[in-house]
Amino acid sequence: MHITQLNRECLLHLFSYLDKNSRKSLAKTCHKLLEVFQDPLLWSLLNFHSPAELKKDNFLLGPALKYLSICWYSERVKVCNIEDWMKNNFQKDFCSRHENTVSDFLLEVCNRCPNLLSLTLSGCGHVTDDCILILLKNCPNLMTLKLENCVRITDRTLEAVILYGRSLHTLHVDFCRNVTQTGLEKVREKCPLVMLRAERSASMIPDNKPEKKLMLEKASRKFAQL
């Protein structure tokens, strides 16, 4: 029996065992397999391992998407996690090449995947609070939000969770250095049913330009003298 003689359900099952590149390659062989590749039921889960993968034409975004993960563990992540005001020209040039890649992709998810249930972002150093805010508004069924080593995430994301995370059950903000203990306490107070984890986040040193840090130190000394 030729593979194209299998019914749609069997073909979908076979495709589900393939990675994104293999699915795309197989879809190029005939129209029937291309139709299977384009079936939304095949794309309820997407895993990406670098920003570059988001630009490939080997997957389908649609309302069927329930679980999304973008985890970048490359050594190059360290460059993105350096405070913007401390980056040299080479580092700034490197970051500029993909600075908006993840954010732009998440905006597409907001527009096309309203049934998203789970989002995991790790090492996505350019994702901002505004992006997470829009996603929470447009994906009201989101139950799990896991953010790890996302250095631009601040207490504004925690405030958005309180306002718009009505379905949220699990929230992780691990190694997000600009999240504060005050913000975490507000989430615990306003959303007691949310399973909150913030490994190392509130104990890390937040981003402060030298002049801001100096002003804070002066204000602290002045307060101590009163």
Side-chain angles (χ1 to χ4, degrees), residues 138-157:
N138 287 271
C139 302
N141 299 320
L142 193 70
M143 300 175 64
T144 300
L145 177 60
K146 296 182 179 180
L147 306 174
E148 178 187 53
N149 207 12
C150 297
V151 296
R152 292 192 181 182
I153 295 302
T154 72
D155 285 0
R156 288 186 59 215
T157 285

Side-chain angles (χ1 to χ4, degrees), residues 61-76:
L61 278 183
L65 181 64
K66 301 292 181 62
Y67 307 94
L68 173 62
S69 172
I70 306 173
C71 297
W72 196 23
Y73 297 119
S74 165
E75 285 294 313
R76 290 175 289 181

Side-chain angles (χ1 to χ4, degrees), residues 169-195:
H169 291 172
T170 301
L171 174 64
H172 293 178
V173 282
D174 298 332
F175 295 89
C176 297
R177 64 172 178 251
N178 289 301
V179 167
T180 70
Q181 190 64 43
T182 300
L184 295 172
E185 290 300 331
K186 285 184 179 180
V187 174
R188 291 190 177 100
E189 177 188 352
K190 302 292 185 179
C191 308
L193 298 181
V194 173
M195 296 179 60

Side-chain angles (χ1 to χ4, degrees), residues 34-157:
L34 178 60
E35 289 177 0
V36 176
F37 175 84
Q38 294 173 338
D39 192 319
L41 294 177
L42 187 63
W43 303 102
S44 62
L45 182 151
L46 282 172
N47 293 316
F48 299 96
H49 304 289
S50 76
E53 290 185 18
L54 304 179
K55 298 180 179 181
K56 291 184 177 181
D57 185 26
N58 61 357
F59 60 89
L60 186 70
L61 278 183
L65 181 64
K66 301 292 181 62
Y67 307 94
L68 173 62
S69 172
I70 306 173
C71 297
W72 196 23
Y73 297 119
S74 165
E75 285 294 313
R76 290 175 289 181
V77 171
K78 294 179 180 179
V79 176
C80 299
N81 289 340
I82 298 172
E83 295 90 331
D84 289 339
W85 56 272
M86 289 186 64
K87 290 175 183 174
N88 58 38
N89 289 333
F90 172 79
Q91 292 165 334
K92 289 178 180 178
D93 179 65
F94 171 77
C95 288
S96 67
R97 299 175 191 174
H98 60 264
E99 184 170 6
N100 298 316
T101 301
V102 177
S103 295
D104 289 346
F105 179 79
L106 289 177
L107 290 178
E108 284 292 313
V109 171
C110 291
N111 294 327
R112 299 164 64 179
C113 311
N115 300 313
L116 190 69
L117 298 178
S118 176
L119 173 64
T120 299
L121 301 177
S122 180
C124 299
H126 299 296
V127 171
T128 64
D129 296 315
D130 289 335
C131 190
I132 301 299
L133 169 64
I134 295 172
L135 188 132
L136 286 169
K137 284 183 175 181
N138 287 271
C139 302
N141 299 320
L142 193 70
M143 300 175 64
T144 300
L145 177 60
K146 296 182 179 180
L147 306 174
E148 178 187 53
N149 207 12
C150 297
V151 296
R152 292 192 181 182
I153 295 302
T154 72
D155 285 0
R156 288 186 59 215
T157 285

